[in-house]
Amino acid sequence: LVDCCSLPKSSGLEGKQLVLRKCVKAFTDSMLDLIVDTPITNEFVKDFYGKQELVYLGPDEQVIPEDINWIVGRAAQRGYPIPSAFMSSKPDAGINHKTYGVTSEGVQVYLDVALREMGMHPDQRNGEGFTVKMTGGPDGDVAGNMIRILRREYGDSVKIVGLADATGCAEDPNGLDGEELMRLFEEALPISDFNASKLSGHDEAALHICDPSFHGDNQASAEKALRARNTMHNRVKSDCFVPAGGRPATIHEGNWRAFMDPVTGEPSSKLIVEGANLFITPGARDLMHQATGIPIVKDSSANKCGVICSSFEIMSSMLLSEEEFHDVKPELVKDVLVRLRLLAKREAELLFREFRALPGSLPHFSARISEAINRVTDAIAEDFDKRTGGDYSKYMYLVHEHMPEKLTEVAGDRLMERVPKEYIKRIISSALASKMVYQEGSTFVEPHTEAHLAVLSFDYLVAEQKIREVEETLAKLDWTGNESAQATTSQIIRDGGVKSYLSRLASANAAASGNN
């Protein structure tokens, strides 16, 4: 880990960029040393895994398009078997995260579900809007795209009342001018470039610029701007707070009370949805929840659509040539965005369903849901070859359901030919585990041992098929005049049919075992 922020000032921006680029290249070569077998590297590598590994990298802050292209080219030079699948968010033959706002799409879905859960959605308030404050600049990936998506989804029903980045902050209780924020986003400009004439006449509306040259010799003015920027996330009152940029551990165990009103003790926002990683420490989350009950949607849930998008891109790289990818890219990206929003909604709804029904904080349930899915995924993968005899054909529909529609349409028949079998097995295992946990909840799988989880999962697929057959039979009946009863019956079967079938199956198996 190299701290580029501690470089001597004499090195300047150019020196910092040089060090960053060298670090990316050194890290890439180190990874390739470990996973590409050559006589030279094998002499120095201790292989504890014992199998060939396919690893892919994803983008994060300070990784630029030039880095991504270099990484893919380097993987080809070093003999990685599928170079284009070594790195996601490729600017040309990929789905660039910032260009398409894939992370922010998921963050907005979690925000939307949370607003509905708390009765703050404009649809529930006769059109009355809600307010948001954010950290992260209009030129940033998550914050910038959140500005765009919030305007797309809510129009005038949302007001961004505070926005802070490294260059300063803008605040306006009447809402920062939406068109001006979009200008900054489209021109990739920071908040310090906000046109101050676009602020409303409210007494608390202000633009604070942290560039020392802006203040000249006025040290007091410069310090005031820094204080305003560094405290905006605590001071400004809003319905929701979306950390979409900023330093890790900005809110921690030693300062979390600053987020609370010093008079009332109430949090300055009623809801937090973490678009940025690590902005609030785990300990601070716990303390804030214990003190006020504030719902905090954890970063690992809220911003996971970026990771999911990377997995779709990597699969596309395995299945499509670069030319084929370009031919279908507009339709493929559209399908990916639809899929990301659907997956985010499924998890967000389960997250709040469990939060309502069981004791614990939202971050607790984020971790609990992930643990449940991972346990079931591992159990299925461990048992899969033994159960299937290596014949995956019966379960390939799970892979097709998981993939974006356009990718399935164009290359679904190439899966077994071009995608490593171990990769396919993990997709099947993860898709089945997610389907089961999202539908039934984490408590459905938690009591079971690893050995029984695999059995339960495959029985679940059988139960689903049986329930589909029942629904198809019911649909053929004449419900004329009883449409309400038909809808109720179908809903009851969907809600409890699978569990009921599994219960009967377990009883039958127990009885058979007893007779033996």
Side-chain angles (χ1 to χ4, degrees):
L1 183 63
V2 178
D3 181 6
C4 297
C5 296
S6 298
L7 289 171
K9 288 186 177 181
S10 58
S11 65
L13 181 61
E14 185 176 331
K16 177 180 177 180
Q17 289 300 320
L18 175 64
V19 172
L20 284 170
R21 306 289 71 80
K22 288 176 70 71
C23 288
V24 168
K25 292 177 179 180
F27 174 82
T28 301
D29 270 331
S30 298
M31 287 293 296
L32 291 168
D33 285 343
L34 293 172
I35 60 180
V36 177
D37 291 336
T38 69
I40 295 175
T41 57
N42 285 348
E43 183 180 346
F44 299 98
V45 173
K46 176 65 175 175
D47 186 359
F48 292 97
Y49 188 53
K51 300 177 185 177
Q52 190 68 37
E53 292 176 274
L54 282 177
V55 177
Y56 71 82
L57 309 179
D60 208 336
E61 292 184 55
Q62 305 298 337
V63 176
I64 60 177
E66 289 78 5
D67 291 331
I68 295 171
N69 288 334
W70 185 91
I71 289 168
V72 172
R74 188 64 163 179
Q77 288 178 358
R78 295 287 304 273
Y80 187 77
I82 315 173
S84 61
F86 185 57
M87 181 74 191
S88 68
S89 195
K90 295 182 284 292
D92 191 23
I95 304 173
N96 185 269
H97 288 198
K98 184 174 182 180
T99 300
Y100 297 103
V102 296
T103 302
S104 303
E105 291 285 356
V107 174
Q108 186 274 324
V109 170
Y110 277 90
L111 174 63
D112 193 78
V113 170
L115 288 170
R116 292 184 187 280
E117 287 287 331
M118 299 180 68
M120 296 195 303
H121 196 282
D123 292 348
Q124 299 165 313
R125 303 167 86 177
N126 297 318
E128 180 187 345
F130 65 96
T131 56
V132 180
K133 62 182 175 184
M134 292 197 297
T135 54
D139 55 340
D141 175 0
V142 182
N145 278 295
M146 279 301 292
I147 292 169
R148 172 179 64 84
I149 295 168
L150 288 172
R151 279 177 61 83
R152 181 192 75 197
E153 294 296 319
Y154 305 109
D156 294 336
S157 293
V158 61
K159 293 179 180 178
I160 298 176
V161 294
L163 193 67
D165 66 13
T167 69
C169 69
E171 309 169 22
D172 195 331
N174 291 331
L176 295 168
D177 186 272
E179 291 185 5
E180 176 64 3
L181 288 176
M182 281 301 297
R183 180 186 73 83
L184 298 181
F185 167 68
E186 290 165 355
E187 297 179 16
L189 295 171
I191 197 62
S192 58
D193 279 272
F194 188 92
N195 184 346
S197 70
K198 300 287 186 178
L199 293 169
S200 75
H202 195 285
D203 290 344
E204 296 178 18
L207 174 66
H208 301 281
I209 297 175
C210 292
D211 183 351
S213 64
F214 177 80
H215 301 278
D217 295 332
N218 192 337
Q219 185 67 22
S221 175
E223 290 176 357
K224 179 183 177 182
L226 282 171
R227 282 196 303 273
R229 181 200 66 184
N230 293 342
T231 60
M232 189 283 297
H233 63 279
N234 289 327
R235 290 183 295 100
V236 171
K237 301 287 179 67
S238 64
D239 292 318
C240 316
F241 172 39
V242 180
R247 291 182 179 274
T250 294
I251 298 178
H252 53 74
E253 291 86 340
N255 68 6
W256 65 271
R257 290 187 184 278
F259 195 78
M260 311 301 156
D261 186 288
V263 177
T264 67
E266 293 296 313
S268 58
S269 296
K270 302 167 189 171
L271 165 70
I272 300 175
V273 180
E274 297 180 350
N277 285 322
L278 309 175
F279 189 88
I280 306 175
T281 65
R285 289 193 199 108
D286 289 342
L287 291 167
M288 293 167 78
H289 175 74
Q290 292 166 15
T292 68
I294 182 173
I296 303 175
V297 180
K298 190 174 179 292
D299 47 13
S300 59
S301 288
N303 66 28
K304 68 167 52 176
C305 279
V307 176
I308 299 170
C309 179
S310 289
S311 72
F312 288 146
E313 181 183 333
I314 296 305
M315 179 169 279
S316 300
S317 298
M318 293 178 181
L319 292 172
L320 303 174
S321 69
E322 191 168 323
E323 182 179 354
E324 288 174 321
F325 182 87
H326 283 299
D327 288 343
V328 301
K329 184 172 180 177
E331 295 169 272
L332 178 58
V333 170
K334 181 180 177 181
D335 287 346
V336 165
L337 294 177
V338 169
R339 187 85 184 122
L340 292 177
R341 292 181 68 85
L342 175 62
L343 291 171
K345 186 177 181 184
R346 285 179 181 171
E347 180 160 323
E349 289 178 343
L350 173 60
L351 185 63
F352 277 93
R353 198 161 70 236
E354 300 209 336
F355 180 57
R356 285 196 311 267
L358 301 166
S361 64
L362 279 173
H364 163 77
F365 289 109
S366 288
R368 190 168 172 177
I369 291 167
S370 294
E371 174 64 19
I373 292 173
N374 289 338
R375 278 190 68 223
V376 178
T377 298
D378 291 344
I380 296 169
E382 182 70 24
D383 190 61
F384 196 80
D385 287 329
K386 182 173 65 176
R387 179 173 289 272
T388 63
D391 180 9
Y392 291 13
S393 58
K394 184 179 176 181
Y395 302 98
M396 290 303 290
Y397 75 93
L398 289 167
V399 183
H400 293 150
E401 287 179 357
H402 170 74
M403 290 164 59
E405 284 188 19
K406 192 63 182 180
L407 188 57
T408 300
E409 175 192 323
V410 174
D413 58 350
R414 306 175 186 174
L415 280 161
M416 293 306 298
E417 172 193 347
R418 299 195 181 183
V419 180
K421 205 168 184 180
E422 185 68 22
Y423 200 91
I424 291 175
K425 179 170 70 175
R426 295 301 299 193
I427 293 174
I428 292 171
S429 302
S430 177
L432 175 51
S434 299
K435 175 197 283 277
M436 194 160 65
V437 173
Y438 287 155
Q439 182 64 33
E440 310 298 341
S442 59
T443 56
F444 180 71
V445 301
E446 284 174 341
H448 300 282
T449 63
E450 267 64 16
H452 188 251
L453 280 174
V455 175
L456 176 66
S457 301
F458 288 103
D459 285 349
Y460 189 86
L461 288 181
V462 174
E464 269 199 330
Q465 178 58 37
K466 294 296 182 183
I467 297 308
R468 275 195 296 269
E469 292 171 4
V470 170
E471 288 187 293
E472 289 169 3
T473 300
L474 286 173
K476 294 174 183 176
L477 299 178
D478 184 5
W479 292 87
T480 305
N482 294 293
E483 287 80 5
S484 178
Q486 179 186 17
T488 301
T489 303
S490 296
Q491 190 63 52
I492 290 171
I493 290 170
R494 279 194 296 272
D495 289 346
V498 169
K499 286 184 179 178
S500 177
Y501 181 89
L502 289 171
S503 178
R504 290 171 62 85
L505 184 62
S507 297
N509 289 340
S513 177
N515 291 335
N516 291 335

